[in-house]
Amino acid sequence: MRMSPTTEHPGNTQTVRPAPGTDLTETTVGVGGAAESTDMVLNIGPQHPSTHGVLRLRLVLDGERIQHAEPVVGYMHRGAEKLFEARDYRQIVMLANRHDWLSAFSNELGVVLGVERMLGMEVPERAVWTRTLLAELNRVLNHLMFLGSYPLELGGITPVFHAFREREELQNVMEEISGGRMHYMFNRVGGLKEDLPAGWTTRARAAVAAVRSRMDVYDRLVLGNEIFRGRTRGVGVLSAEAVHAYGVSGPIARASGVDFDLRRDEPYLAYGDLADVLKVVTREEGDCLARFECLLEQTHNALDLADACLDRMAELPPGPVNQRLPKVLKAPEGHTYAWTENPLGINGYYLVSKGEKTPYRLKLRSASYNNIQALAELLPGQLVADMVAILGSLFFVVGDIDK
């Protein structure tokens, strides 16, 4: 056990700290060597049931109270942004698809919107409405995973079975059009891969109705549970000021009273025509319970938006769902920034082109990366027992952090 004493001697105490890289404790000792207090340094992860995967939390504890928290990221880093520079504009869709594996369609969408903006390309109307529909179905799929897994982390196993049943309803219709259950690869620069199968909209409408008919289980089984409310109310309060400071976005930010949603405030796709259906859900409390409530209400609204898109698509005349592209697609020299309201928050795509068939630079701003930084603000002062409740309420995907 290597210990390296510091050179500072405030009063009659000496601070003894572990050498870098060790997982020891930090102890304050008196002149005679008698221990006065102990701060424990505790690592949660990078492989740990409470961290959603390979995230590491370095906590400094004083008894049961967290004094300092440092999220350590990068264990899943795969260099996607560098790989973008070696792939053409068709191939980068596959790479961008995977960082948030619960929001694959939305990930694809931001990339193709950026390239289309560089090209000054107009997308057919049927493709615009179909993209909007699939983005909202993907939002529901993402949120259902967290609506089921968050109670599971707090000790309630039943909701996750309901969540996966509802996910299967929607996964089936998404798989039918794309052939993929997780990574759809259905977006293309200029529109969509292909037209929807005959009768698909009817099956999609039935799936949306089936999911909606059973969504009240989360109101009754989860929100109505006094243990769940006791574990989440007033726990992990994130202020609006901290939201702005850390760049937090999505339902986590709106649960702290930050009323911002790109779909309403800077509409893209068909969201400008859905203003009467789109509801931006906010809360003021900023605690774990408020974040869960925002996620749940946003799921209800996403189902309403999906129905509205299906109604509109039924009125559209037949037509193409993509543009004809040259065999070698090159974006003109220049740069642009596209951003979308992904299920977990704002995703941004900064594209720089030198006029070649590959991007010169494509910088990805992922929602989870900013959101998880708020743990440094949320965890200090909290009990270790509340750590999992706070961590789970940030609704992140580790791949979305590490890219």
Side-chain angles (χ1 to χ4, degrees):
M1 183 180 295
R2 249 176 81 223
M3 305 296 283
S4 55
T6 64
T7 57
E8 298 179 5
H9 300 273
N12 291 325
T13 64
Q14 175 185 353
T15 303
V16 181
R17 295 189 178 91
T22 59
D23 292 332
L24 306 177
T25 60
E26 179 180 308
T27 307
T28 303
V29 297
V31 174
E36 294 182 353
S37 66
T38 301
D39 290 337
M40 176 181 290
V41 179
L42 179 66
N43 278 301
I44 306 294
Q47 290 285 0
H48 193 277
S50 72
T51 59
H52 294 255
V54 282
L55 173 71
R56 176 187 171 200
L57 291 177
R58 187 176 183 275
L59 308 178
V60 178
L61 308 179
D62 181 7
E64 290 291 316
R65 191 75 62 177
I66 299 171
Q67 299 295 315
H68 176 76
E70 178 189 0
V72 183
V73 303
Y75 292 94
M76 286 190 68
H77 180 58
R78 59 188 178 89
E81 291 177 344
K82 194 63 181 176
L83 292 173
F84 288 152
E85 300 170 15
R87 305 291 191 275
D88 66 35
Y89 287 105
R90 293 178 175 89
Q91 294 169 325
I92 61 174
V93 175
M94 180 274 294
L95 289 170
N97 176 292
R98 285 158 164 74
H99 56 90
D100 174 3
W101 46 78
L102 297 177
S103 310
F105 185 87
S106 301
N107 298 340
E108 302 167 8
L109 188 60
V111 172
V112 297
L113 288 175
V115 179
E116 288 163 3
R117 183 175 295 178
M118 290 283 285
L119 294 168
M121 180 180 291
E122 289 288 334
V123 176
E125 187 179 15
R126 291 187 69 238
V128 170
W129 282 96
T130 305
R131 280 177 171 180
T132 310
L133 166 64
L134 297 178
E136 291 306 310
L137 292 180
N138 195 194
R139 193 180 309 277
V140 177
L141 282 168
N142 176 289
H143 290 356
L144 281 171
M145 177 64 78
F146 292 107
L147 291 174
S149 65
Y150 186 47
L152 179 65
E153 291 162 358
L154 299 181
I157 192 172
T158 307
V160 75
F161 297 122
H162 291 277
F164 271 86
R165 179 182 62 182
E166 314 316 334
R167 277 174 55 84
E168 284 301 310
E169 293 274 2
L170 299 177
Q171 288 281 29
N172 288 339
V173 294
M174 296 292 281
E175 184 178 8
E176 183 182 353
I177 60 165
S178 67
R181 288 182 59 79
M182 293 289 285
H183 306 298
Y184 305 110
M185 287 300 299
F186 200 59
N187 276 294
R188 295 291 187 273
V189 176
L192 298 169
K193 175 186 174 185
E194 57 196 9
D195 207 347
L196 300 172
W200 182 86
T201 54
T202 301
R203 293 186 287 277
R205 191 183 294 275
V208 169
V211 172
R212 179 187 286 107
S213 69
R214 295 191 289 259
M215 282 298 295
D216 68 319
V217 71
Y218 300 100
D219 295 296
R220 294 183 292 103
L221 189 64
V222 182
L223 286 180
N225 186 290
E226 62 182 39
I227 298 176
F228 178 83
R229 299 183 74 87
R231 289 290 307 276
T232 56
R233 185 193 283 116
V235 175
V237 176
L238 183 66
S239 67
E241 292 75 20
V243 166
H244 292 302
Y246 286 91
V248 174
S249 59
I252 302 172
R254 291 190 282 273
S256 296
V258 178
D259 188 7
F260 182 73
D261 190 313
L262 279 177
R263 297 173 296 170
R264 179 199 63 193
D265 300 323
E266 194 174 310
Y268 59 98
L269 296 181
Y271 288 115
D273 297 323
L274 293 169
D276 57 331
V277 183
L278 176 62
K279 178 184 177 184
V280 180
V281 182
T282 61
R283 290 288 187 277
E284 296 297 329
E285 296 82 359
D287 57 9
C288 295
L289 181 60
R291 291 190 278 273
F292 186 86
E293 288 176 341
C294 278
L295 201 75
L296 178 56
E297 285 197 39
Q298 191 167 286
T299 307
H300 284 290
N301 187 238
L303 292 169
D304 294 338
L305 288 167
D307 268 340
C309 289
L310 287 166
D311 291 340
R312 176 62 175 159
M313 290 168 62
E315 301 170 357
L316 293 177
V321 294
N322 48 40
Q323 295 275 23
R324 292 182 63 86
L325 300 176
K327 186 172 293 185
V328 178
L329 179 64
K330 295 183 179 181
E333 187 170 349
H335 60 93
T336 191
Y337 185 78
W339 56 348
T340 58
E341 187 70 42
N342 268 38
L344 297 180
I346 293 174
N347 269 30
Y349 305 83
Y350 179 59
L351 173 63
V352 181
S353 171
K354 291 294 184 72
E356 302 295 332
K357 66 178 182 178
T358 61
Y360 177 75
R361 184 79 170 92
L362 179 54
K363 168 65 179 174
L364 170 62
R365 188 265 191 213
S366 59
S368 295
Y369 181 80
N370 286 72
N371 292 354
I372 203 66
Q373 306 308 316
L375 283 170
E377 179 93 10
L378 282 174
L379 290 179
Q382 301 289 335
L383 293 171
V384 176
D386 291 328
M387 181 202 65
V388 176
I390 297 170
L391 184 67
S393 72
L394 294 188
F395 311 127
F396 61 89
V397 171
V398 179
D400 198 45
I401 301 170
D402 291 343
K403 297 174 285 187

